[in-house]
Amino acid sequence: MSDLTNPVNLGNVLSLLSANDTATVKKGEKQLKPFLKQVASAHHLLNQIQNSQNISVRHHAALLLKKKLVVFYAKFNKQHRAEMKIHLLNLMVSEPEKGVRTAIAGAVATLAKGVFSNNEEWPELFSSLMQMSQEPNEQLRALNYSLLAQLSEQVATQLKPHVATLAQMFVMGCQDSSSAVSEAALSAIASLIKEIGREPEVMGLQCVINPMLGVMNNCIQNGSEDIVIEGLDVIQEACLLEQPLVNDHLEVIVQFTINILQSKDCENGVKQSAGQTLINIIEFRPKLMAKKNLVGPVLATLMEMIAKTDSSAAGSLFSFNAREGVLGGDDDDDDEDEPEMDVQRLAQTTIDCMAINIPSKYFIDPALALCAQGMGSPDSHMRKAGCAVLGVIAEGCSDRIRESLDSILPRLLQLVQDPEFYVRECACFALGQFSEHCQPDILYHNETVLPVIFQALDDPRPTVQGTSCYVLEYFCESLQPATLRPYLNPLMTRLANLLQSSQKSTQEMALTAIAATAVAAEIDFLPYTETICGIIGTLIFNTEPSMFAIRGRALECLGHIAVAIKDTYFARYFELGMQSANQAISMNDESLKEHSFVFIANCAKVMGRAYQPYMPSLIPYLLEVISESEVVLVSNKDEDDEEDEEEEGGDDEDGGYRVHVEEGFINAKKAALTALGALAEHTKELFMPYLQSSLEAVMTKDIGAICSLHEVIRAEALSITQYFVGVVLHVNGIHEAPKFGEVLALNGASSDIARLAMTAYTSCLLNDDDKLPVSYACEAMTSVLRVMGVSALQVVGEDNQPVANDVMKAIHMLLSEKTPCQEKYEGDDDEEDEDDHDNLVMDAVTDLIGELAKVLGPNFVVYFDEFQKLLMKFTKPTRSHTDRSMAIGCYAEVIAEIGPAAGKYVEMLMPMIQAGLADSMEGVRRNSAFCVGTLVQSTGVAMAPFFMTLLQWMHPVCLRKDSRKTSDTGGADVDNALASVCRMINVSAEHVPLAQVLPVVLSSLPLREDVSEGPIIYQCLATLLHTNEPTAMSMLPQLVAAFGETLCNGSSANEQTKLVCKEILKHCVNSSQLQGTVMSYLSQLPNQEDQQTIQQMISS
């Protein structure tokens, strides 16, 4: 090996590093390796930079010196340190080649790190910076900023005291006439902001924001788009900072991003970056954006962008809505031009972000006004845009849209029949979004919505047909079977035809609609099963990759049919489905895996123990998928590289790994968890042999699924642990929920698994940063409390204290909105938002509070005294109706369980109840009426003095409108109000004016939605007859008719209600005084079958 201390030899070896041949390069690296471990090598490299005539040799010498200086500097003596400083600064300025100059600047930055790490000073460095910034030579001015960029990465802490001076230098650089200098200045600003962004000193750079934008604007003109993206990246990062660096420049930044989005000349990369910048501003400065009056102009611009892009919006709408590929695929006739699609999708995503993040009081009115303006425009493209925006904002603005459905729907339904297909597409999409996000209120309009959608299913455009299926998917799945029954035959005829369409996207959407229809129709779906399953059978074994999406949807649809028709009728299709699922799992396609797991989960609900022969192979495979690493090794370093890094004190920032973020991987793992949980829930003791391995895959600290890097996986993992608890309780011989106050006799396994589950839930509530896992943990804890009662709260946590302590602490923090998942910096002010409801978490929290009250009864009062103070804020008139409904419902649930202790809250609750009963939204009225009933039930005659007041407040609610006397048109508020009135009668009939009350009650029967209130209402009426109460006796025909209706075919009354009504009618028949009225009622029934049925019931 040659002596590399010889300059010629070293130069020859360094030149090898520039060879085009990999083997030659590796040969040079191998020769250099032992040499570079010597401290003296630094001075030999410096000599090459100083004296070599070969540009590549100087360049590689500078790069190697940069790599070694930070370690070697501490080993230099005083003289060598001084020489290195002087020589590098001089060489940097005198080097004629730009690439070498930049590399030397990197070595200077690394040297600076060594200098400052050893607590030394280097005043000449800062002098050089000032001198170069004023050099006539533009190359040196540019070099100054290149050096500053690299210094920011290495010694940002030492630059902080000089921020004011640097800011002036940056402004000067951005305004330089040379584009090379201004672009280098922007890069230097970007580097420094990234390094000191979380420090207060960054505010000294406020003055550079506008000059930065000026540079970026020039770069757009001259095509330097990478620089624009770099600048936008910095602004994106600045939006995330607690320091309000960009706040005073928000208007200019927003306009700059909008200009880019509207430009026809900017490349997609720049538009994507501008869009992300705008989204970051919306997410992290929402109130500031609103207060600067930017919401209306931005919305108008985005809507105009949608209007100006390609006529069809179906593909971009569905890809925005996480349905990429469902519409607008290769097999559709009008594929959109990709750049236009990107702009349209970006506009829609940004609007969605605005709807979710900007407080409703600033957003909803201008948004709905723009939508109305667009939808009413004579320009079809504006009508398209108006519908598209209305659909996009449906999720974020669902509360206000639900309040306005009566005024919005008529125009929207007209546009579903618009002459232009692209308007019809977007109108259907908006209707689908309403169906998904405006439940249950949208269902009240089923009589006007369904006929229009049926017509759209016959549309000649495949994308309109497909989007109509999307509407049906969400609209039908929540309908009552009785509502769906008249429409079922024409609906299934159309869907069966679409299922055989030549358009794959239409087939796929038809399958999702059929699945939803089956679930809603329940056993009414049976007549269509053979035909639909025959078609599905031709799809679920297709091995052509282009058909995998349809194959998966078909198998998933088959699982939903199983849920609809139950095990007896589905058994003949079960083995076929499992054959398809097993084959799909072996085909190594993530989407097919996901659909197969969903099929397994749905079938488990109805087939249960039929899974026993499949479990020995199925469950280990599910656990394998669940346990698959979420971190992927992307490169392997050889041992020599690792040794070098150890010696040099370096670290590999990414460690050669990346996180698995592919949607297919995540969805498949989540679906595997769902399937595992369904098997545990529905196979009970058959699951026991697999319980330990399942616990290890799901709950092992740090590596189990509950510790996943992905929130959807963590959430699902937490959710299914409740079924593990159920399995071990079942094996423990505990098959029923405990009675109030009962402590279960848990064996060791039951106690251990309950402890694992409860501590996992509380840990999530207190520590998880994401809302989805927290809401799932609340729901799972509620379920465990339901099956274990007080025993669940007595298990010992990690601190050897009952887990109840952490549960109550977590609830208090959640109600205070102080947990990690609820903290969100908005960077503009501390104003409390009162109009935006966190549905995901707070609904789950209030359900948990209700279950705790059931478990603890009056013992819960000591906790609720604190909780209710925090809960009350959600009942304010300024809060959304969902907030008010949620909080009032929570009060009602707790009051129902704490008995007479509820009396202490009466005075506080009365104003809330009065306002709630007069609310414009049914959900608020319903829960307010329910709260009245629970107060009466818990406090008894103590509430009697308030009866007349409460009756006056409830009177308007008790009157059922004729338009709401059919199913799926609402009416739960009336049902709950009637039940509350009957509870008053039960407690103290003498305090109720029965002559005025009973006619109202009877005129509003039967119950329409909350049939669980039936036993209370009908037993109250029966008691009045049993006691010969005069008013009741005077209304005997009406009472008999009310009782009889519950026993007729088609009645929605539950079995307990029917039993009450049957017994009272028997009583009447056996009374000579009452018998005639019953016989008269029966003789007047129009349906002879009903006559015979009731006659048999009351005679037996």
Side-chain angles (χ1 to χ4, degrees), residues 880-899:
S880 67
H881 71 87
T882 43
D883 266 2
R884 300 195 301 277
S885 177
M886 170 200 73
I888 296 168
C890 185
Y891 276 111
E893 293 281 359
V894 173
I895 286 164
E897 305 300 332
I898 60 177

Side-chain angles (χ1 to χ4, degrees), residues 931-944:
C931 192
V932 171
T934 59
L935 265 177
V936 171
Q937 176 182 301
S938 289
T939 59
V941 293
M943 280 295 292

